[in-house]
Amino acid sequence: MAAPAGLCQLRRLCGLALFLSQLYVLSGRAGSLMTTKHSQPQSTFAKSLTSTSTNTPYFKVAESTEIPSYVTKCPSNGLCSRLPPDCMTCNTNYSCIYGKPATFDCKAKPHVHCVDQNNHEQENFTINMTCQFCWQLATTDYVCTNSTNCMTVSCPRQRYNATCTVRDHIHCLGNRVFPKMLYCNWTGGYKWSTALALSITLGGFGADRFYLGQWREGLGKLFSFGGLGIWTLIDVLLIGVGYVGPADGSLYI
């Protein structure tokens, strides 16, 4: 009777060991499942970071492909030699002879399209210009700012600091924007109507020349009776068209 009782206890111990082993296996599977579930959001987050980092160079390329502001000044498919200076880059030679013609090698800036005489697109070309600095150009080749502080009635004639910009179709050496001292547009108070009336009525006595401050011419007209009338007629025409003005160089009112 003792043998069957020991066998039963052994069976119970084996069943308990089997139950514990199955419980351990099930707990291990549950842990792996939990690890897998938690790892999925991390991989998704990593993918989002990867996609964000790959998009960064794309935005940089988009910024670099923006059209520069100078392109609006450049005619499309125009002659390269007639492009405005802002549309090209030139290798200027400052050792050229002043006042003599000079040839410079130029290159169109990015996004600028131009052609040659045969309507073929080109990038490198040459331009012909006079060897001189921009501030040495004629007054008709640049535009300057006006001053609002100049005295309209002043003697001697005053100057003011102006900022001048070269016109687009003019090529020159140095800075295209430069400062310059210019005379004020002023008047000494002389009226054109008064000068013309004196020339017509009392021009034979030199009254018009005396009024304008030209004393020597006035005395000449006075003692020659207006050049026997010829000088008087000539002064009427010259004052009428504004060729003869005040002796101090001011403007008529």
Side-chain angles (χ1 to χ4, degrees):
M1 294 297 293
L7 183 60
C8 291
Q9 292 179 356
L10 181 61
R11 288 179 179 177
R12 290 178 181 177
L13 292 174
C14 291
L16 181 61
L18 181 61
F19 174 76
L20 292 175
S21 63
Q22 290 179 353
L23 183 63
Y24 176 79
V25 171
L26 290 176
S27 63
R29 290 182 179 178
S32 63
L33 290 175
M34 293 295 292
T35 304
T36 305
K37 289 182 179 180
H38 285 293
S39 63
Q40 287 179 353
Q42 292 178 358
S43 62
T44 305
F45 180 72
K47 289 181 179 179
S48 64
L49 289 178
T50 305
S51 62
T52 304
S53 62
T54 54
N55 288 337
T56 303
Y58 174 77
F59 289 110
K60 289 183 179 179
V61 173
E63 291 178 358
S64 62
T65 56
E66 292 182 356
I67 300 177
S69 59
Y70 61 80
V71 176
T72 57
K73 302 179 182 179
C74 308
S76 179
N77 294 326
L79 289 177
C80 295
S81 58
R82 295 184 180 179
L83 286 175
D86 293 337
C87 305
M88 65 179 74
T89 303
C90 298
N91 296 325
T92 54
N93 181 15
Y94 290 92
S95 62
C96 58
I97 301 175
Y98 172 74
K100 299 293 183 180
T103 302
F104 299 105
D105 296 327
C106 300
K107 180 180 180 181
K109 289 185 177 181
H111 304 285
V112 176
H113 303 282
C114 60
V115 296
D116 56 8
Q117 297 291 342
N118 298 324
N119 204 25
H120 295 155
E121 187 173 356
Q122 63 177 170
E123 184 177 1
N124 299 316
F125 54 93
T126 60
I127 61 170
N128 298 320
M129 56 178 286
T130 304
C131 181
Q132 59 183 348
F133 287 95
C134 295
W135 59 270
Q136 296 173 321
L137 293 172
T139 55
T140 55
D141 293 336
Y142 54 83
V143 180
C144 300
T145 57
N146 294 323
S147 175
T148 58
N149 298 325
C150 279
M151 296 180 62
T152 57
V153 179
S154 175
C155 186
R157 195 173 182 182
Q158 290 185 346
R159 293 174 180 261
Y160 70 96
N161 293 319
T163 301
C164 302
T165 305
V166 181
R167 299 183 184 274
D168 289 339
H169 64 281
I170 303 297
H171 298 277
C172 56
L173 300 176
N175 296 327
R176 300 185 61 81
V177 179
F178 53 91
K180 196 167 187 177
M181 293 287 294
L182 298 179
Y183 282 109
C184 298
N185 292 326
W186 67 288
T187 176
Y190 298 96
K191 294 184 178 180
W192 172 81
S193 58
T194 303
L196 182 60
L198 291 174
S199 181
I200 294 173
T201 57
L202 301 174
F205 301 99
D208 50 354
R209 294 283 183 166
F210 287 126
Y211 173 73
L212 296 174
Q214 302 175 6
W215 296 97
R216 288 178 294 182
E217 291 82 354
L219 291 174
K221 290 182 69 175
L222 177 61
F223 291 108
S224 65
F225 300 102
L228 300 178
I230 298 176
W231 194 349
T232 302
L233 294 176
I234 293 175
D235 273 355
V236 170
L237 294 176
L238 295 179
I239 294 176
V241 299
Y243 184 81
V244 174
D248 55 7
S250 63
L251 303 177
Y252 284 117
I253 296 177

